[in-house]
Amino acid sequence: MRTILILAGLSLWAIAATVGAQQAPQLREDNIAEVVKAMTLEEKARLLVGGGYDGLVTSGAVMGRQTKFVPGAAGSTVGFPRLGIPHTLMADGPAGLHIDAHRKGETRTYHATGFPVGTCLACTWNTRLVEEVGKAMGNETKEYGCDVILGPGMNIHRNPLCGRNFEYYSEDPLVTGEMGTALVNGIQSQGIGVSAKHFAVNSQEGDRERVDEQVSERALREIYLRGFERMVKKSNPWTVMASYNRINGIYAQCDRRLLTDILRNEWGFNGIVITDWIGVRQDLPIEDAVHSGDDLMMPGVPAQVTNIVQAVNDGRLDIEDINLNVTRILEYIVKTQNFKGYQPSNNPDLQAHAAITRQSATEGMVLLKNNGLLPLQINEQLDTVALFGVCSYDFLSGGVGSGCVEVPYVVDMLHGLKNAGIATTPQLTEIYTRYVEYAKVKLQADKNPWMWYLDQGQPKLDEIEISDRCIAHEVSSADMAIFTIGRQAGEAMDRTIANDFNLSSLEQDLLFRVSDAFHAAGKPVIVIINSGSVIETASWRDRVDAILVAWQPGEEGGNSVADVLLGKANPSGKLTMTWPISAYDHWSTQNFPMEIDMYSYKSMERRNRAIKNVNYSKHEEGIYVGYRYFDTFHKQTAYPFGYGLSYTEFTYGKPSVKFKDDVVEVTLTIQNTGKMAGKEVVQVYVNAPEGGMDKPAKELRAFAKTEILQPGEKTTVRMTIPREDLASWDEAQNKWVVADGTYTFYTAASIEDIRGQATLTLK
Ligand code: BGC
């Protein structure tokens, strides 16, 4: 009897278990609809809200990073073991994987490779190379157990003062779209997702969570969305990150026209939209965000789950909106490594990736000036350098904020030169080295808790005075001077004109005294710009012999600079943004909010004074961003868009332009007519017929980078421009229009250096 009862009990349990299993399907690629059906409303709401992290929660805003799974990763999606749904992990950022290098209780480290920042990558104009960098980043992300890297950063450099320009590529949407595509394709080839950000019009950091970017439909389409559009169509990103700001009154994070009508319906995006990291927003009802097509609230706070459930129960939110977003998130999850059960090694090949970063950085560096001194011929007359500038000894490999990387090391200028066999003068080296040691200790002691964004990454140390006596001593013991000018920037703060865009008086005074003293002795002076974005050069460039923009080139920085200075790598980077004479020369500067920074969060009074909207049409700026403005209105630049010197020379052949199957093909020969092997970046600018619209004088419509050409070697460069890429956004018709008429195609070495032209009439 007892046995029978036990057997009956067992079979009842078996039946219950079977029913249970039937009621709880386990997630597979092909049963997503079934899983959605099996989820409770609470579970669905929890899936739409990120897993949060154990950081600080202040007045609805969330700060910190998650530590549960991979310490330092920026956030996670919630797992549901009942349904076989694993958590997934998202980590910053555009210059490499941002996770904590140190873990509690462990002696080993988890460093990631610091690759060149976005501006440096873009200035390579080499999409193949950027794709390789993406592969290495994707591989590290996978081997450290994360699923998505929060990048590429694809906002337009509307103004050089934006604090995050270093994470972005260019003032031009074609360059932005092509670089974004390359990086996405590289990362995603490793089975790792991306989050292209910050969608959209996140052109400044000041008051970024509230600012209303008022922008015309034409500027939106032609400038601010076009790069994203290109990348979405060419690379199928897994996720896109909706930015904090408002656009024409509506938060991007609840803008259905942006996130659904344009992104998905017009461009065919089929991934998920995630919010940029924010908590509950008092002035953004959660139902608006969910309904807009904003699938995942990151990093996620519990109140958002309650709010979603409440909104459904109150009838403010349709369950079908939720089901759609849940379905899309599950479609994302089944692609991830965490879902596939990949066991990360936690040992990516950091050495191999260091080699990639060293080479890609040299290709992105831009030689602004060279009076014939470079490449340096090291010999007995020229082998000792007086190395000035704090950043020579504390070189900035990347920016600060979420986009920083906890790198294993940074090769500074001192060691880069030393590795290349160049000595530095002992006295100056000692002064700076000691100061850097001291300043780092002091910095730790002076940490400002409100500056937590900037505490992520390598801060820039203050410059120091060097006396005339010391300079005189250096002149007598060195063959030349190298002066590194460093700049740091990052999240939540824009740059200032004084002491940042412009040199500080200390820097300028020191540079002038150094150049006067060295030149008086017939010894040259080289400036290295170690900054993620543009600085003023016009007031001091005549005082020096060579200027190399090294950007923030990643952990191998000093080695990469030495490779260029010595000609081991022939510079082939060109500017993807205009270098103006004065910061005020950009049209947008008239309407760029200054002095709104992280400090404004400290005092409500200052915060409330912060500018809440920025009108891009005021002063007629509109589409006239970057070179579109300087070129059309004949405004002089310090260095124009597309500019960069080489150690060799290239001769451009006459271009031929053909139109077939709705595609324009521009062909020309490029010959290396100089004495050193090198690569050239060829640009095609187009002047389009007006077709009843006001148009820029020229717009970049294609570019190519040659392979290395030996002296005398010639190659044929073929570039294609699909007809629709010639279109402008016609606000009257609310669509892209390719005007009838004659188009002029300029083949050029920069926007100001036109080498050939051909015309074509389109109907
Ligand atoms: C930044 C994002 C970043 C996120 C997660 C935000 O503050 O704007 O770019 O991906 O934090 O760290």
Side-chain angles (χ1 to χ4, degrees), residues 53 64-65 74 92-93 98 150 164 167 197-198 202 205 208 241 244 276-277 402-403 452-453 456 491:
Y53 38 49
R65 315 181 81 73
D92 283 299
H98 181 182
L150 301 170
R164 287 181 91 173
E167 294 188 55
K197 66 193 189 183
H198 306 89
N202 191 167
E205 287 301 290
R208 65 179 180 171
M241 188 188 291
Y244 291 124
D276 196 348
W277 269 226
S402 61
W452 71 274
Y453 284 105
Q456 301 184 87
E491 260 185 84

Side-chain angles (χ1 to χ4, degrees), residues 371 373 381-382 475-476 478-481 514-525 545:
N371 69 358
L373 174 71
Q381 281 81 50
L382 197 71
V475 173
S476 64
D479 305 313
M480 70 185 129
V514 167
S515 73
D516 288 351
F518 274 76
H519 285 160
K523 296 180 179 181
V525 178
D545 304 278

Side-chain angles (χ1 to χ4, degrees), residues 632-672:
T632 308
F633 294 89
H634 309 292
K635 186 113 192 151
Q636 215 190 328
T637 61
Y639 298 102
F641 180 86
Y643 172 90
L645 300 174
S646 164
Y647 297 149
T648 189
E649 307 223 320
F650 296 97
T651 303
Y652 286 51
K654 199 170 155 15
S656 90
V657 178
K658 278 193 295 202
F659 185 65
K660 205 177 151 216
D661 299 333
D662 263 356
V663 174
V664 179
E665 190 183 87
V666 182
T667 313
L668 77 161
T669 58
I670 298 288
Q671 186 174 15
N672 182 346

Side-chain angles (χ1 to χ4, degrees), residues 251-477:
Y251 279 116
Q253 296 178 348
C254 70
D255 188 339
R256 190 172 163 86
R257 188 179 89 95
L258 184 72
L259 304 182
T260 294
D261 299 347
I262 296 179
L263 179 63
R264 295 180 198 281
N265 300 345
E266 275 186 36
W267 302 350
F269 173 67
N270 60 16
I272 58 169
V273 173
I274 71 177
T275 62
D276 196 348
W277 269 226
I278 197 156
V280 173
R281 289 182 109 146
Q282 300 310 335
D283 56 349
L284 195 165
I286 198 117
E287 59 269 24
D288 289 1
V290 175
H291 176 70
S292 71
D294 192 345
D295 303 293
L296 179 63
M297 313 294 143
M298 289 302 277
V301 288
Q304 289 171 308
V305 178
T306 320
N307 292 350
I308 292 176
V309 172
Q310 192 82 51
V312 175
N313 291 339
D314 293 353
R316 279 176 286 131
L317 184 55
D318 191 337
I319 189 71
E320 283 318 314
D321 281 337
I322 298 222
N323 287 342
L324 183 61
N325 296 8
V326 166
T327 303
R328 289 194 289 234
I329 294 178
L330 293 178
E331 283 167 358
Y332 145 74
I333 290 174
V334 297
K335 291 191 277 196
T336 62
Q337 296 301 322
N338 259 312
F339 176 77
K340 292 182 176 161
Y342 183 74
Q343 293 302 316
S345 66
N346 276 321
N347 272 317
D349 190 345
L350 297 182
Q351 237 177 329
H353 296 168
I356 295 177
T357 199
R358 179 170 178 167
Q359 192 232 331
S360 47
T362 60
E363 249 194 64
M365 291 182 182
V366 181
L367 185 63
L368 295 183
K369 176 173 181 178
N370 184 13
N371 69 358
L373 174 71
L374 301 179
L376 292 172
Q377 307 295 326
I378 299 300
N379 53 39
E380 273 158 28
Q381 281 81 50
L382 197 71
D383 67 356
T384 308
V385 169
L387 193 53
F388 290 88
V390 168
C391 287
S392 294
Y393 303 83
D394 192 39
F395 203 72
L396 303 171
S397 64
V400 292
S402 61
C404 78
V405 181
E406 298 203 5
V407 293
Y409 58 85
V410 182
V411 179
D412 56 26
M413 287 291 300
L414 177 67
H415 290 90
L417 294 175
K418 200 165 152 205
N419 295 341
I422 304 178
T424 59
T425 50
Q427 179 177 302
L428 193 64
T429 302
E430 193 177 341
I431 293 174
Y432 275 110
T433 312
R434 287 202 176 184
Y435 165 71
V436 165
E437 276 167 21
Y438 153 80
K440 282 188 170 169
V441 173
K442 186 165 180 306
L443 205 80
Q444 280 303 319
D446 294 349
K447 261 193 179 174
N448 178 341
W450 283 98
M451 301 290 278
W452 71 274
Y453 284 105
L454 301 185
D455 277 346
Q456 301 184 87
Q458 195 186 350
K460 155 131 178 26
L461 306 175
D462 292 337
E463 247 353 293
I464 46 169
E465 269 295 353
I466 301 290
S467 69
D468 284 342
R469 221 173 106 209
C470 180
I471 293 172
H473 172 81
E474 291 306 311
V475 173
S476 64
S477 36

